[in-house]
Amino acid sequence: MYWFPYLSLAINLIIIWFMPKRLTNKEIYVSWAVIALINLSTDVMLSLYFRLYELNGGGVQLGVHIIELTLGASFGIIFLNFMPESRRSFFFYTAAWVIFSVLFELLTVKLDFINYITWKWWYSAFYYFAAFLLVRWHLHYIRSN
């Protein structure tokens, strides 16, 4: 069921193209690569190695890898671009993104792109929260160097 992830990617790319940029091209480029690598590594470990879930029926598939390298990174760029600086605002912003991310994932489950084997949806909330903290740190790190 590729249509939904690819439609989501197309919408994200349009948003990225037209959004007022708070990130430099270098920050977008480096952040995209880091987020894509983390996303791909996580899915390889959790899906292919530990078999906690399957993506589009399981196994290694080129179309799934394209989605893994692009969809999560596109969401990450949008997240980073609009991320507030203050910690209080960041907390609420991140909470909203975690809720959105879990709901988006549940929709992909409903549309049979993701099939949980032993994974539980609420595990994803912890993963997304940690991922958003990591990309916040990542952006501060690349801006400081």
Side-chain angles (χ1 to χ4, degrees), residues 57-73:
V60 177
Q61 302 170 51
L62 179 60
V64 169
H65 285 295
I66 292 169
I67 290 297
E68 288 177 313
L69 291 171
T70 56
L71 186 59

Side-chain angles (χ1 to χ4, degrees), residues 77-125:
I77 297 303
I78 295 168
F79 172 84
L80 284 174
N81 190 70
F82 295 107
M83 180 180 68
E85 289 296 320
S86 79
R87 288 186 180 162
R88 179 175 167 79
S89 297
F90 175 75
F91 174 78
F92 292 109
Y93 179 75
T94 301
W97 268 91
V98 167
I99 292 167
F100 167 76
S101 299
V102 169
L103 292 174
F104 183 86
E105 180 176 309
L106 289 173
L107 183 56
T108 61
V109 169
K110 182 80 171 161
L111 295 172
D112 293 324
F113 183 74
I114 297 175
N115 176 36
Y116 293 156
I117 298 170
T118 58
W119 189 261
K120 306 289 185 220
W121 69 266
W122 54 271
Y123 298 170
S124 297

